[in-house]
Amino acid sequence: DADVTQTPRNRITKTGKRIMLECSQTKGHDRMYWYRQDPGLGLRLIYYSFDVKDINKGEISDGYSVSRQAQAKFSLSLESAIPNQTALYFCATSDLGGREAFFGQGTRLTVV
Amino acid sequence: AQKITQTQPGMFVQEKEAVTLDCTYDTSDQSYGLFWYKQPSSGEMIFLIYQGSYDEQNATEGRYSLNFQKARKSANLVISASQLGDSAMYFCAMREGQNYGQNFVFGPGTRLSVLP
């Protein structure tokens, strides 16, 4: 089993729909992140969480919300999806020492 | 200003040869970490190598090594004995600040193609 698991792996949704992307990890890391990847732009940070009670906005948080349900679970929601949110989304975790960082397999989201 | 610069959008290398992928970074912090990730066409992000700003030795992991030149703020990835399976996008990333883990900043990536 993967250390960081994202569900779903692929999703097509309609404009205006609410959608949730889920992430779970078995690394025991406190720190979790959500990124989106667009061609030519690398990865950009949406939200990050240092522990269950800590949520922080990243570079591009508008239109997104997150929930840290447990140390191992961090979900990303699009309240009302729009086409320019079509992207590859990654969840990541890291340890306190800062030398390890692991990514999920990615969720390819298409908003039509 | 760009925090991470990767000036090579695409690179070609002959199989079994070595290749260097460039990365320069910009930070005013003394404590930071530098990472390289590989993204094959399947899309996953695979961790390759890590270099801490206080590490005195250049990091190595198998065929991967990181040429860390702190004064020049560069962290180039060297892949020795390239293999066809090395064809992928490669991203340089930095985590900065005393509060490790605050954020990763990624470069735009370099697409490496290994030729048979």
Side-chain angles (χ1 to χ4, degrees):
Chain A
D1 287 343
D3 295 320
V4 183
T5 302
Q6 291 181 232
T7 56
R9 294 293 309 279
N10 291 281
R11 182 72 180 266
I12 300 173
T13 192
K14 293 184 178 180
T15 297
K17 291 290 188 182
R18 183 179 188 274
I19 183 169
M20 179 183 288
L21 309 183
E22 298 187 347
C23 176
S24 63
Q25 52 119 343
T26 58
K27 296 295 291 183
H29 290 164
D30 285 322
R31 302 183 173 202
M32 298 187 74
Y33 309 78
W34 275 104
Y35 288 88
R36 67 175 277 175
Q37 184 180 25
D38 299 278
L41 294 179
L43 276 75
R44 292 181 294 166
L45 182 66
I46 306 172
Y47 271 95
Y48 61 101
S49 168
F50 282 1
D51 63 39
V52 175
K53 297 181 180 179
D54 178 82
I55 302 288
N56 304 279
K57 291 183 177 181
E59 180 186 353
I60 52 165
S61 59
D62 288 348
Y64 302 95
S65 62
V66 291
S67 173
R68 186 80 184 266
Q69 301 95 325
Q71 187 208 35
K73 296 184 182 297
F74 192 37
S75 59
L76 175 73
S77 293
L78 287 67
E79 297 301 326
S80 179
I82 56 177
N84 76 0
Q85 290 177 313
T86 293
L88 183 58
Y89 289 84
F90 285 101
C91 174
T93 75
S94 72
D95 64 332
L96 262 174
R99 300 185 78 94
E100 283 189 341
F102 296 93
F103 283 77
Q105 315 96 310
T107 295
R108 193 169 296 279
L109 177 66
T110 304
V111 183
V112 297
Chain B
Q2 291 282 348
K3 290 264 189 178
I4 298 286
T5 302
Q6 295 180 254
T7 57
Q8 307 151 314
M11 289 279 287
F12 291 89
V13 64
Q14 208 68 42
E15 193 178 6
K16 299 181 185 177
E17 293 186 350
V19 62
T20 298
L21 306 183
D22 295 342
C23 172
T24 57
Y25 58 92
D26 180 26
T27 182
S28 56
D29 287 327
Q30 297 301 310
S31 297
Y32 53 89
L34 297 156
F35 299 75
W36 277 92
Y37 288 88
K38 172 184 178 182
Q39 187 177 40
S41 56
S42 52
E44 70 267 34
M45 295 287 285
I46 301 168
F47 168 74
L48 294 179
I49 196 166
Y50 169 85
Q51 179 85 41
S53 59
Y54 291 122
D55 293 343
E56 294 184 354
Q57 304 275 353
N58 283 347
T60 60
E61 290 285 347
R63 294 187 298 112
Y64 304 107
S65 59
L66 199 152
N67 184 2
F68 181 46
Q69 299 187 44
K70 194 170 182 177
R72 298 179 60 183
K73 294 187 176 178
S74 75
N76 297 340
L77 177 71
V78 181
I79 305 175
S80 63
S82 298
Q83 302 172 355
L84 295 177
D86 293 335
S87 294
M89 282 290 288
Y90 288 81
F91 292 96
C92 179
M94 176 175 65
R95 182 161 57 201
E96 58 185 337
Q98 289 289 345
N99 192 10
Y100 286 117
Q102 181 171 359
N103 186 15
F104 283 93
V105 179
F106 282 80
T110 295
R111 182 171 297 281
L112 177 66
S113 298
V114 180
L115 306 174

